[in-house]
Every structure is written in structure tokens, then in C-alpha cells.
Amino acid sequence: MSVKVCIGIDQSYKRTGMSVSKDGKLVSCQSVNLYKLNSKPEKRHVLMARFDETLESVLKHCSPEECVVVLERVRTFSQQFLSVPYIKSMGAMNAVVADEAWYHGVQCYNVDTRAWKHGVIGTSKPAKPGSTDMKFAKHFQVDEKKAPTVRWVYNNYKTMFKESAVVQVIGSKKKGTFIAKDGTRCEIDDDLCDSVCISLSWFKMDNSKFQLE
């Protein structure tokens, strides 16, 4: 039986993006804000509850065999440095999602960051100086590494982008923010944008690019 629905997750203890694509088209996207919670176990519990809600909603319209979950693959090295605490904490977060998927009979995979970026948006490189991506990054105050992905989502799913990825800033935060047309200070939820592309990657890439959790 072929897969019809993919739930893509860009997992983080600060903010986790979670998107659903059906037959290669994005149908929903959201973020789970975790940065105000005190402990990692509490954050994993909140993430598990939100993921369970999303998964059960999806399974009302398709069978477990027609659905997959895709996580971003945990980096074992960052700038040639091995962080055991990071690997352990992210492994625990991944296990929460993978175990919940298993409980519902849904297979869970992971995909490399560079692979899904290249497969969905066409490049895994940061925005180049003078490029349209860089102009977009400066306008919306987006990290140049995130700009190509964010702009791709903006161009392809503009309505959902405006509804879900543009977030009003509460408080005095200024870095990484911009002033919207209505005068409010906002920021772009790049974690949500990453999850959008991860959810679409299943339909745009060869299955060999995905590893079973």
C-alpha cells in the first residue's frame, strides 16, 4: 500500500515544527513552543501530546500503512565536534515521537538535513551575497542559512506562510524580527518552514534517503 500522508517534524527543545503533507501537497503546519517549559522531560511530554493529536487526526482519514513520520536526522558531529549530551537529549526526543508512531502502527524515519534541503528546495547552501534569497533574508531578518527554505515555503504556500509562519513578537526582542505592514513586530518561524519541507521530502526524494528510526 502506497504512502499518502507524511508528517514532517523539525525537532528542537525550543520550538518544534510539525507539518502534514498529503500526496505531495502541504495540508497543515504548526509549531510547538517549548522554550518556556522548565525541564526536558516536560518538553518531551508536551511534544508527545501534540504529536499524538496530530497523528490521530491524520489516521481518521487514512490507514497506518498509508502514513509515515519523518524526523530530521540528529547530527553526530557539529563543526567536527562530537557532543554526547546533545545526542542523548535529541535521541530521547526522537524516541518520544518514534514510540508514539509505533503505538499507532505508523513507521517513523529520519532524513539528513542536506538531503531534504537539496531534494525539496534545490540547494543545501546558505543564501549567496546579492541573491534573491539574501534580499529576502535581510528584509525578514532571517538567518542566511535558513533563508532559501523560508523563501521556498513563502513562494509555494504563501497563504499558509502568512497565517502560520509569521509570528507576532511579545516582549522586547528585536534581533531576528521585522516590522510588519500593520506596525507590529514579527519574526519568521523557520522551524515550521523546515518541517514543511521535511514533510514534503517523502514525496520528492528516493526512499533510500530515509532511515528507519
Side-chain angles (χ1 to χ4, degrees):
M1 188 176 292
S2 62
V3 172
K4 295 182 178 180
V5 179
C6 177
I7 303 174
I9 298 178
D10 180 51
Q11 67 276 33
S12 167
Y13 279 97
K14 291 182 179 180
R15 183 175 61 188
T16 289
M18 191 181 303
S19 297
V20 179
S21 292
K22 181 179 180 181
D23 296 327
K25 298 291 183 181
L26 179 69
V27 295
S28 70
C29 52
Q30 62 174 305
S31 269
V32 187
N33 287 314
L34 304 168
Y35 64 93
K36 289 185 178 180
L37 301 178
N38 295 322
S39 69
K40 288 183 177 179
E42 184 180 10
K43 293 180 179 188
R44 291 193 292 265
H45 178 75
V46 169
L47 175 60
M48 180 182 69
R50 185 71 68 85
F51 171 65
D52 184 61
E53 289 177 4
T54 300
L55 184 56
E56 290 192 352
S57 177
V58 166
L59 292 177
K60 289 179 181 178
H61 306 284
C62 70
S63 69
E65 294 79 15
E66 294 173 317
C67 176
V68 294
V69 177
V70 177
L71 297 160
E72 187 167 55
R73 189 168 301 158
V74 175
R75 298 186 304 273
T76 52
F77 284 89
S78 180
Q79 297 179 348
Q80 298 183 337
F81 177 73
L82 174 65
S83 173
V84 174
Y86 166 79
I87 294 172
K88 289 171 64 177
S89 65
M90 292 308 298
M93 178 170 272
N94 284 11
V96 163
V97 174
D99 287 355
E100 194 66 23
W102 172 85
Y103 178 78
H104 287 83
V106 174
Q107 290 198 316
C108 183
Y109 297 84
N110 66 66
V111 64
D112 180 72
T113 304
R114 291 166 297 180
W116 69 253
K117 284 187 175 183
H118 190 272
V120 177
I121 67 175
T123 180
S124 60
K125 297 179 179 179
K128 297 179 180 179
S131 66
T132 304
D133 285 333
M134 184 61 77
K135 293 176 182 177
F136 183 93
K138 291 181 177 179
H139 179 78
F140 288 108
Q141 294 298 299
V142 177
D143 187 301
E144 63 185 42
K145 293 179 181 179
K146 298 283 190 177
T149 300
V150 174
R151 192 173 78 87
W152 188 92
V153 177
Y154 174 83
N155 287 339
N156 289 275
Y157 295 98
K158 192 166 294 185
T159 299
M160 296 177 74
F161 179 93
K162 292 179 177 179
E163 291 176 349
S164 303
V166 180
V167 182
Q168 185 173 347
V169 175
I170 306 299
S172 58
K173 179 182 178 181
K174 291 187 177 181
K175 185 178 180 180
T177 68
F178 65 97
I179 303 299
K181 291 182 179 180
D182 62 2
T184 59
R185 185 171 292 279
C186 300
E187 66 178 342
I188 301 300
D189 185 343
D190 53 65
D191 301 302
L192 179 146
C193 293
D194 282 357
S195 74
V196 166
C197 294
I198 292 170
S199 74
L200 290 165
S201 69
W202 183 267
F203 303 100
K204 293 179 177 291
M205 295 163 52
D206 187 89
N207 287 355
S208 64
K209 300 293 185 180
F210 301 88
Q211 294 180 355
L212 193 63
E213 277 285 320

